[in-house]
Amino acid sequence: MEVQPTISVVMPVYNEERYLESAVQSILDQTFGDFELIVVDDCSGDTTQAQLERLAAGDPRVRIQRNPRNMGATASINRGLDQARGEFIARMDADDIALPERLDAQVRVMRERPEVVLCGAATIRVDSNGNRLALGEWPVDPVVLAWYGIFRPVVAHPTAMYRRSLIDRGLRYDEDLHTAQDFGFWSKLVEHGSVAMIATPLLLYREHSGSVSATKRQQQRQDAAQVCASNLENRFAEFCSWRSDVDPVSVARFVHGSAAFDAAGAQAAVRSLLLLEQVYLDSCGEVSDAERKAIQRITARWILQALAMQSGLKFFEKMLILRSLVGRTHRMIEEVGRYVGRRMRVSRFR
């Protein structure tokens, strides 16, 4: 009788010859060894296939699937899910490095907390040569994390672990989303349980010129705005039905920089975002002061980022919008301080 692994690690690959071996080896070197690594090669034209065959020959846990044609990352992930046999699914990308304790730490969370359907972890951002740049941190508090997850992917994709039982029930990545497919998938997963975030970094997240965020940035913004708008419409349907001045689509496009706004449109989007934040806080019942401040900091970050992406707005127009947020000045300053801190604290992790 075939023994099923505890974890199925799913890794889509396309022309990743530079980083592939280190990514695969980082999984093979995990302290938790009961896994299968399903690598889906999307018809790579470089030495990827040869590298995979050599790695698979040296470790039977590596299983290679080669697409019959180039299908894209989303379809490749779904194909990997169809082959998965483990109790848990772990995602991994072919240009990142999993730290040795990653799988062990996440399995412990999933086993100790049966209500958790998705587990992620902090990351360490590195450049193409592996030089450490900054910490990648996500909220840990459930109330704060839920607000964050309406607007952004609730975990970093290559740190994700989730339950295969949900895959058996038909959940799949949306193949109409060529980017931001993780954001769309997490938005479905969270309907079935809670999310756990491990604050300790468990992955080196590589930033380089060939990454999706660099090569398909505008497409990624548009796809993310589409998912965000759907989340807002679902979460705030009742509120938006009687507040016609609050447009979830405009808020999503503003936050993700997927459309150009004039001064009046940007001001309306900011007002709507702050209204939605207050509605969210009111809906959560008793919210601690720390949770409220954290949510306000995150919202302030999104406003600052959104204004930075609006190249069509004049400087004084941006300043007028920020002036209207005078009550948020201290939150914005706090967020800038936290950004600087993430860059400084990365040196603590080796």
Side-chain angles (χ1 to χ4, degrees):
M1 182 177 177
E2 186 180 29
V3 178
Q4 305 300 308
T6 300
I7 304 170
S8 294
V9 182
V10 176
M11 177 191 293
V13 177
Y14 179 67
N15 289 347
E16 290 287 1
E17 61 183 0
R18 179 177 179 183
Y19 304 114
L20 176 63
E21 185 164 2
S22 59
V24 171
Q25 197 61 51
S26 75
I27 294 297
L28 300 181
D29 290 342
Q30 289 290 299
T31 57
F32 186 94
D34 184 21
F35 63 82
E36 61 179 353
L37 173 58
I38 303 170
V39 185
V40 183
D41 182 10
D42 197 21
C43 295
S44 296
D46 57 7
T47 64
T48 290
Q49 181 68 13
Q51 288 188 46
L52 287 174
E53 290 173 354
R54 176 171 51 80
L55 290 163
D59 196 313
R61 295 175 297 181
V62 180
R63 299 173 55 199
I64 305 172
Q65 301 289 326
R66 186 170 175 84
N67 290 341
R69 64 186 186 284
N70 184 267
M71 301 168 65
T74 311
S76 297
I77 296 170
N78 280 339
R79 190 174 183 215
L81 295 182
D82 291 338
Q83 300 294 320
R85 302 172 297 171
E87 178 184 1
F88 307 111
I89 307 289
R91 273 284 291 111
M92 181 65 184
D93 285 340
D95 52 358
D96 299 322
I97 296 176
L99 297 179
E101 302 81 12
R102 178 202 162 178
L103 297 182
D104 191 28
Q106 291 186 292
V107 165
R108 284 201 306 271
V109 171
M110 300 296 278
R111 284 179 168 164
E112 292 171 3
R113 299 177 57 188
E115 79 281 2
V116 170
V117 295
L118 174 63
C119 178
T123 66
I124 296 174
R125 292 165 44 211
V126 300
D127 63 16
S128 58
N129 297 315
N131 299 310
R132 301 188 177 202
L133 303 174
L135 291 178
E137 295 181 313
W138 279 253
V140 176
D141 181 277
V143 174
V144 183
L145 191 59
W147 171 249
Y148 186 94
I150 296 171
F151 293 87
R152 292 282 195 274
V154 73
V155 304
H157 203 179
T159 72
M161 179 177 285
Y162 43 93
R163 299 185 187 276
R164 201 195 74 192
S165 58
L166 295 173
I167 303 304
D168 293 341
R169 290 159 61 178
L171 282 183
R172 289 293 187 279
Y173 289 79
D174 183 352
E175 295 186 17
D176 289 334
L177 292 173
H178 300 292
T179 66
Q181 60 273 95
D182 56 333
F183 188 15
F185 190 52
W186 306 155
S187 297
K188 300 177 194 174
L189 276 184
V190 297
E191 297 175 1
H192 298 271
S194 62
V195 181
M197 177 59 62
I198 298 174
T200 303
L202 295 177
L203 182 104
L204 302 185
Y205 186 92
R206 198 182 303 273
E207 299 180 351
H208 59 93
S209 59
S211 65
V212 170
S213 59
T215 60
K216 299 180 179 179
R217 181 164 297 177
Q218 190 57 35
Q219 181 67 57
Q220 192 173 51
R221 289 175 179 174
Q222 292 171 355
D223 288 345
Q226 177 184 327
V227 176
C228 178
S230 178
N231 289 344
L232 288 168
E233 288 168 345
N234 292 336
R235 181 65 176 78
F236 300 103
E238 183 177 354
F239 177 74
C240 293
S241 68
W242 63 272
R243 283 297 300 257
S244 59
D245 58 325
V246 176
D247 180 11
V249 175
S250 292
V251 172
R253 289 175 175 172
F254 177 74
V255 168
H256 287 279
S258 66
F261 283 76
D262 59 19
Q267 289 174 336
V270 169
R271 284 195 302 270
S272 295
L273 175 57
L274 296 178
L275 274 172
L276 293 173
E277 179 199 73
Q278 188 57 56
V279 172
Y280 175 79
L281 287 168
D282 292 343
S283 72
C284 291
E286 198 169 320
V287 178
S288 71
D289 188 53
E291 290 170 331
R292 184 178 298 275
K293 288 180 179 178
I295 288 170
Q296 290 175 342
R297 275 199 307 271
I298 290 170
T299 305
R301 179 202 311 171
W302 292 334
I303 293 171
L304 288 171
Q305 290 173 339
L307 289 174
M309 288 187 286
Q310 291 297 323
S311 58
L313 290 180
K314 296 180 175 60
F315 178 77
F316 79 88
E317 291 174 328
K318 295 180 181 182
M319 290 302 101
L320 284 175
I321 294 173
L322 289 178
R323 185 180 178 184
S324 70
L325 301 173
V326 62
R328 296 291 179 112
T329 303
H330 54 306
R331 297 289 176 256
M332 294 182 181
I333 293 173
E334 287 174 359
E335 187 56 35
V336 171
R338 290 171 71 87
Y339 172 78
V340 173
R342 286 193 291 272
R343 299 185 70 88
M344 297 178 63
R345 288 187 290 116
V346 71
S347 61
R348 299 179 186 176
F349 298 95
R350 294 299 177 194

